[in-house]
Amino acid sequence: MSEGVGSRVAIVGGGPVGALNASFFALRGYHVDLYEARGDIRLAKHVRGRSINLALSHRGRQALASVGLEEKVIRHGVPMHARMIHSLSGKKMSIPYGKKDQYLLSVDRALLNKELLTAVEGLPKVKLHFNHKLQDSDMPNGTLLLNRPDGLPIEAHCDLLVGCDGAFSSVRRQLMRYATVDFSQTFIKHNYLELNIPPTSSGEFAMEPNFLHIWPRNTFMMIALPNMDHSFTCTLFMPFMEFEKITTNEQVLDLFQKFFPDSIPLIGIDALKKQFFRIPAQALMMIKCSQYHASETMVLMGDAAHAMVPFYGQGMNAGFEDCLVFDELMEKFHNNFARVLPEYSVLRVPDGQAISDLAMYNYIEMRAHVNSPWFHFRRFMDNVLHRIMPNTFIPLYTMVTFTRIRYHEAVKRWKKQKKTMNWFFFVFLTILPVSGAVLLCRKIPGQPHSIVPRLCGLSTKLPL
Ligand code: FAD
Ligand code: EGO
């Protein structure tokens, strides 16, 4: 890459996707300015018991590996080889995710972000600008308008504006002035709240560490992911109407007694009461766009392009894969933004839609009829079918989480598999028993009766 036209990239948003993306562009030789509205999270001191984690899987790891950051990040991860389903009675059952190398990694959000920022800061021609909030842009002329907390307005310049500024993206708002984008924003009935399960008094994990713990209770759902410090972070998903009803400590305890009794001693009664009201429950939403770019100067990645509900654990993974797909196109089209940007939308929009829809599908599915026996049965059957037909039947969760099969292809395959399975069950449960019955009831040649009376131990003399 030579300095000059098309060589200055501005990335808005220093979240996981923006920070990773900065590495991708820097390694291609671009001059990169990263603008983050908030301060440098590496300077914020860690508050004990406040680690929030997320599940990193294959797609995210492939993107990290492509810029040489996989090892650095997975050092901070706790492997989860199986889900652990907690039933209401307190019984626990686990079902593995797949083969030995198919596991999720529970990583600390803050640590992940710090690792990515530090890595990109060490690359040439990269500048990180914290406390810089994008206000406006005029990309036909390549100018940006940013604000600092002291209110000082700043003008900046770039050739490509990359919006990695999350679900409430400001870049997206500006992009939609220049491109014909269909856009939707959908809030769901559930909000979420995070709680902490501290290590035991001897410093051990309070539950089995290498699992994604799930308490499926139809409309009430809770999960817990392990942290490196031997604590767990629980996320409670509940209709906001229910959150609104809960205003006293007693109501919190009643709720947990009723739905998650085994978790009370683990969180601790006092901690539970305190943590429940620490901050209000947060809303969950989905953003869809029919196009992720405008001309050859603006492009969206991560939540800015496709925020989704968290019921597939893929939001960040999908955002990381965006960066990887974009980089693959940069290679293919020799860094020509005019060709890369439209192609990126063509490739990535169907996949963004597919994973958003799957996450929403899981949200509906998990409430509709997923209690612990059902959850267990479904995942058990997935594993059984995969074991007998490893090439024909790959569970959807496996395709999404442990492969790089394009999200929309995974959905197509899943629908085809469902058809095959339905046919298979139809044959075995209907045609075979029916034809069996017909054969049994047929008269045996040379005998006056079918085989049925004999099988039943009846005399064939009886008038059957
Ligand atoms: P963000 O993380 O939102 O970062 C955007 C950044 O842009 C922020 O730092 C913000 O300050 C900055 N910004 C915003 N506006 C401006 C502006 N105008 N100027 C400058 N900077 C700006 N994903 C997974 O893969 N696995 C999981 O297990 C998982 N669990 C989740 C659980 C929950 C409860 C939720 C809500 C999400 C979960 N996700 C998960 C999704 C994941 O959190 C997101 O997909 C991911 O954080 C998106 O990263 P991002 O960088 O695109 O956006
Ligand atoms: C029948 C059985 C229908 C996020 C199982 C649907 C999601 C869905 C939120 C888990 C795992 C990472 C997650 C499984 C299903 C993260 C995830 C799953 C949750 C909630 C989550 C699984 C953070 C759905 N992956 N998953 O099979 O283990 O199955 F429970 Cl509420």
Side-chain angles (χ1 to χ4, degrees):
M1 259 306 301
S2 59
E3 279 284 344
V5 181
S7 67
R8 227 186 153 93
V9 174
I11 296 177
V12 181
V17 174
L20 175 64
N21 224 349
S23 274
F24 272 106
F25 282 103
L27 290 172
R28 288 203 160 267
Y30 286 92
H31 190 297
V32 177
D33 289 293
L34 181 90
Y35 298 103
E36 164 56 45
R38 289 182 281 197
D40 188 342
I41 62 155
R42 291 169 299 177
L43 306 177
K45 56 175 188 290
H46 181 73
V47 188
R48 238 190 84 83
R50 281 289 293 123
S51 41
I52 308 289
N53 48 30
L54 40 67
L56 174 69
S57 49
H58 185 68
R59 294 172 202 266
R61 287 179 64 169
Q62 288 292 108
L64 290 166
S66 166
V67 292
L69 288 175
E70 188 188 17
E71 291 307 318
K72 273 210 174 100
V73 167
I74 66 175
R75 276 194 299 133
H76 302 296
V78 185
M80 301 183 287
H81 295 278
R83 50 297 246 186
M84 182 71 87
I85 313 301
H86 294 241
S87 71
L88 192 52
S89 63
K91 260 220 301 267
K92 289 186 271 190
M93 291 186 291
S94 72
I95 314 159
Y97 277 116
K99 295 194 279 302
K100 238 195 153 61
D101 60 337
Q102 294 180 322
Y103 56 86
L104 302 165
L105 276 170
S106 173
V107 293
D108 187 303
R109 260 178 202 280
L111 241 52
L112 169 68
N113 222 303
K114 289 175 187 176
E115 212 53 82
L116 295 178
L117 288 171
T118 301
V120 71
E121 204 173 36
L123 296 173
K125 294 197 278 178
V126 174
K127 198 157 172 15
L128 307 184
H129 311 262
F130 295 101
N131 301 307
H132 279 61
K133 184 173 178 153
L134 183 76
Q135 290 298 338
D136 202 357
S137 66
D138 177 10
M139 272 322 286
N141 295 309
T143 56
L144 308 178
L145 186 68
L146 300 125
N147 249 15
R148 297 205 326 198
D150 54 22
L152 200 72
I154 290 168
E155 202 184 272
H157 301 272
C158 67
D159 302 294
L160 178 69
L161 174 60
V162 186
C164 305
D165 46 350
F168 300 98
S169 169
S170 153
V171 175
R172 184 181 61 227
R173 210 164 44 238
Q174 288 149 43
L175 182 148
M176 291 195 313
R177 297 197 309 224
Y178 300 104
T180 50
V181 183
D182 291 339
F183 165 81
S184 77
Q185 168 173 320
T186 314
F187 284 90
I188 60 170
K189 295 207 310 290
H190 280 56
N191 282 5
Y192 74 96
L193 185 90
E194 282 151 335
L195 300 162
N196 183 263
I197 294 180
T200 61
S201 51
S202 53
E204 297 301 303
F205 279 107
M207 301 184 291
E208 300 77 357
N210 298 114
F211 295 84
L212 169 54
H213 291 265
I214 308 182
W215 289 257
R217 302 286 183 270
N218 302 97
T219 52
F220 301 83
M221 292 173 278
M222 191 164 76
I223 61 173
L225 275 67
N227 294 310
M228 287 294 267
D229 65 1
H230 293 189
S231 68
F232 286 87
T233 305
C234 297
T235 310
L236 168 67
F237 299 96
M238 191 164 82
F240 57 81
M241 301 278 272
E242 300 291 332
F243 272 116
E244 278 169 14
K245 282 189 209 156
I246 294 177
T247 56
T248 69
N249 288 342
E250 285 65 42
Q251 288 168 321
V252 176
L253 280 185
D254 284 348
L255 172 80
F256 274 73
Q257 285 291 0
K258 195 164 166 205
F259 294 106
F260 317 107
D262 60 334
S263 74
I264 300 176
L266 304 177
I267 302 169
I269 292 184
D270 291 327
L272 177 57
K273 294 173 186 167
K274 235 194 232 128
Q275 290 179 30
F276 199 94
F277 299 109
R278 195 171 39 83
I279 49 166
Q282 312 273 304
L284 292 166
M285 54 109 92
M286 171 172 76
I287 296 275
K288 282 187 176 176
C289 300
S290 65
Q291 194 177 308
Y292 297 160
H293 79 286
S295 67
E296 54 198 86
T297 55
M298 297 171 97
V299 65
L300 303 173
M301 300 195 201
D303 279 15
H306 47 63
M308 62 195 77
V309 293
F311 301 99
Y312 228 111
Q314 281 294 310
M316 185 189 66
N317 286 286
F320 281 6
E321 198 181 41
D322 289 343
C323 306
L324 181 53
V325 168
F326 191 91
D327 191 66
E328 287 164 354
L329 290 173
M330 288 288 277
E331 194 60 39
K332 186 172 171 191
F333 295 115
H334 313 294
N335 304 330
N336 180 350
F337 294 149
R339 300 204 49 200
V340 172
L341 266 60
E343 191 58 23
Y344 168 75
S345 274
V346 166
L347 267 184
R348 216 44 196 161
V349 170
D351 290 329
Q353 306 258 351
I355 189 58
S356 296
D357 289 343
L358 282 176
M360 191 58 88
Y361 175 85
N362 252 2
Y363 166 61
I364 294 161
E365 172 91 350
M366 290 176 93
R367 281 175 305 141
H369 39 242
V370 179
N371 45 40
S372 30
W374 179 248
F375 192 105
H376 205 262
F377 174 74
R378 288 282 297 269
R379 284 320 191 221
F380 177 77
M381 279 312 291
D382 272 359
N383 286 354
V384 168
L385 291 170
H386 184 52
R387 180 94 33 109
I388 36 186
M389 301 168 283
N391 298 318
T392 319
F393 184 91
I394 307 174
L396 177 63
Y397 191 81
T398 304
M399 290 192 276
V400 166
T401 311
F402 302 117
T403 78
R404 272 203 67 205
I405 298 174
R406 291 183 57 190
Y407 288 124
H408 89 277
E409 298 278 1
V411 172
K412 265 197 210 156
R413 245 194 105 144
W414 172 53
K415 288 182 177 160
K416 221 175 89 191
Q417 283 177 188
K418 276 209 293 199
K419 264 194 189 152
T420 314
M421 287 302 131
N422 286 342
W423 176 237
F424 179 88
F425 284 120
F426 176 68
V427 169
F428 276 82
L429 299 177
T430 320
I431 300 193
L432 283 187
V434 167
S435 48
V438 167
L439 280 176
L440 282 176
C441 295
R442 257 212 333 224
K443 260 176 58 172
I444 301 166
Q447 298 246 340
H449 303 289
S450 76
I451 200 168
V452 173
R454 250 195 287 167
L455 281 179
C456 299
L458 297 168
S459 159
T460 52
K461 299 280 170 335
L462 282 172
L464 271 168

